[in-house]
Amino acid sequence: MSTVNSKEEVIKLLDDAYSLFESLPTLIELPNKPRVLFVGDTHGADDVTRKVFSEFSDKVDLIIFIGDYVDRGVNGVENLTLILSRALQEKDKVIVLRGNHESPLTNEYYGFKNEVSKKLGEDIYENFVRTFSIMPLAAVVNGYFCVHGGIARGLHSLDQVNAIQRPDVNPDNEIAFEMLWNDPREELDGFVPNIRGEGTYFYGKDVTLKFIEDNNLLGIIRAHEVADGFRFEMDNKVITVFSSRYHGMRAGALLLNNNNLETIFL
Ligand SMILES: [Mn+2]
């Protein structure tokens, strides 16, 4: 069951979310927490998101959503508004990062722009674009770099992430764009052009392990690719989490429980 909020409520929610995101750094650096839940692409699967909150809100210290709330699935509006509402209600517990689908580059082709138009009218889509443009890009918690796609060409230090200017609609900043679009491939070295298209890259094992070591990280937790819940690679230092249900895959979430990573199906 899903409820679409009224247009006025959605506009207010998007404005409030804009202010919240504007108050946060581009890279959110968090103190270590005993229990952290990481959620990957939900793509309109608001049933998964509801389950995340109903089953884990009271059991974990932090929930990090790693982008891609809209497009592909039919309940993008419901999914996104639920996540933004909870982030505003529980600012210290719910972290919302940007995915490559929080952008007009994808929404026209993968369904969200049409969905918004049908459910809320044509003139409100720009309010979504505005809020997407200010979303934080990454977080660090308990030694894990958390980002939708991953590392980027020219990104050597975490400090560089905070130098990225927001708002940025597409985004146009190359490092920001690649952080949202790139994919890991452990059989490769360096950065190799990605089949996703112009400006996107695969990042290989050598550059990834160097980035992890240079920034004193334990690993990278990211989303962005379809998996049956999870994919571990590069000596288990790069973990993909997938939390939607399309392609017959199961929705997963990662629980960091006193520094042990546990896999969960929702
Ligand atoms: Mn993605």
Side-chain angles (χ1 to χ4, degrees), residues 34-124:
R35 288 163 69 89
V36 183
L37 190 73
F38 300 89
V39 182
D41 298 14
T42 44
H43 279 306
D46 60 333
D47 59 321
V48 174
T49 302
R50 278 173 215 287
K51 219 166 164 186
V52 164
F53 290 125
S54 64
E55 290 188 11
F56 291 96
S57 277
D58 298 335
K59 294 183 189 151
V60 301
D61 305 285
L62 190 68
I63 302 172
I64 305 186
F65 289 92
I66 321 178
D68 281 8
Y69 314 112
V70 302
D71 284 332
R72 300 190 193 276
V74 292
N75 284 340
V77 170
E78 292 82 353
N79 191 46
L80 179 68
T81 53
L82 174 59
I83 290 169
L84 296 180
S85 302
R86 293 296 291 248
L88 286 161
Q89 285 162 17
E90 300 182 271
K91 294 186 175 72
D92 296 329
K93 184 175 265 191
V94 179
I95 298 291
V96 180
L97 303 178
R98 188 175 184 182
N100 64 309
H101 282 268
E102 280 68 60
S103 164
L105 290 181
T106 59
N107 296 159
E108 189 150 348
Y109 305 100
Y110 292 94
F112 185 60
K113 193 175 177 185
N114 277 334
E115 183 194 335
V116 170
S117 177
K118 274 184 199 152
K119 290 177 178 170
L120 298 163
E122 278 182 10
D123 50 338
I124 190 177

Side-chain angles (χ1 to χ4, degrees), residues 152-171:
R153 292 171 312 148
L155 178 65
H156 305 293
S157 146
L158 290 178
D159 297 334
Q160 289 173 261
V161 179
N162 271 329
I164 296 170
Q165 298 296 308
R166 295 171 296 153
D168 189 351
V169 169
N170 288 320

Side-chain angles (χ1 to χ4, degrees), residues 7-260:
K7 188 171 171 177
E8 291 67 32
E9 285 171 333
V10 173
I11 290 171
K12 171 146 192 341
L13 177 65
L14 291 171
D15 284 349
D16 291 347
Y18 188 97
S19 301
L20 170 64
F21 295 147
E22 192 178 29
S23 76
L24 296 168
T26 307
L27 174 72
I28 303 171
E29 295 178 81
L30 295 150
N32 287 353
K33 308 271 185 183
R35 288 163 69 89
V36 183
L37 190 73
F38 300 89
V39 182
D41 298 14
T42 44
H43 279 306
D46 60 333
D47 59 321
V48 174
T49 302
R50 278 173 215 287
K51 219 166 164 186
V52 164
F53 290 125
S54 64
E55 290 188 11
F56 291 96
S57 277
D58 298 335
K59 294 183 189 151
V60 301
D61 305 285
L62 190 68
I63 302 172
I64 305 186
F65 289 92
I66 321 178
D68 281 8
Y69 314 112
V70 302
D71 284 332
R72 300 190 193 276
V74 292
N75 284 340
V77 170
E78 292 82 353
N79 191 46
L80 179 68
T81 53
L82 174 59
I83 290 169
L84 296 180
S85 302
R86 293 296 291 248
L88 286 161
Q89 285 162 17
E90 300 182 271
K91 294 186 175 72
D92 296 329
K93 184 175 265 191
V94 179
I95 298 291
V96 180
L97 303 178
R98 188 175 184 182
N100 64 309
H101 282 268
E102 280 68 60
S103 164
L105 290 181
T106 59
N107 296 159
E108 189 150 348
Y109 305 100
Y110 292 94
F112 185 60
K113 193 175 177 185
N114 277 334
E115 183 194 335
V116 170
S117 177
K118 274 184 199 152
K119 290 177 178 170
L120 298 163
E122 278 182 10
D123 50 338
I124 190 177
Y125 174 66
E126 286 308 314
N127 298 61
F128 285 92
V129 170
R130 178 173 176 270
T131 298
F132 292 161
S133 73
I134 195 80
M135 289 174 113
L137 298 178
V140 177
V141 65
N142 293 54
Y144 286 93
F145 181 49
C146 201
V147 59
H148 184 70
I151 61 170
R153 292 171 312 148
L155 178 65
H156 305 293
S157 146
L158 290 178
D159 297 334
Q160 289 173 261
V161 179
N162 271 329
I164 296 170
Q165 298 296 308
R166 295 171 296 153
D168 189 351
V169 169
N170 288 320
D172 291 324
N173 178 288
E174 282 187 7
I175 289 178
F177 183 87
E178 289 190 31
M179 284 169 63
L180 301 187
W181 280 90
N182 287 355
D183 297 300
R185 287 294 181 270
E186 72 176 343
E187 67 275 18
L188 301 176
D189 282 327
F191 287 87
V192 176
N194 192 319
I195 52 170
R196 290 181 190 268
E198 196 183 341
T200 68
Y201 290 84
F202 292 119
Y203 46 97
K205 189 170 181 178
D206 58 343
V207 289
T208 306
L209 295 186
K210 183 174 191 315
F211 181 87
I212 288 168
E213 193 183 327
D214 289 353
N215 289 283
N216 297 311
L217 296 165
L218 293 173
I220 298 172
I221 296 176
R222 46 91 64 176
H224 194 41
E225 284 182 282
V226 177
D228 190 26
F230 318 92
R231 191 175 89 229
F232 289 77
E233 65 197 295
M234 302 193 194
D235 311 328
N236 294 330
K237 287 185 171 139
V238 177
I239 304 145
T240 299
V241 56
F242 183 71
S243 309
S244 191
R245 299 196 200 280
Y246 61 88
H247 298 308
M249 300 291 178
R250 289 177 290 176
L254 268 181
L255 176 65
L256 186 62
N257 187 359
N258 293 305
N259 295 319
N260 292 313

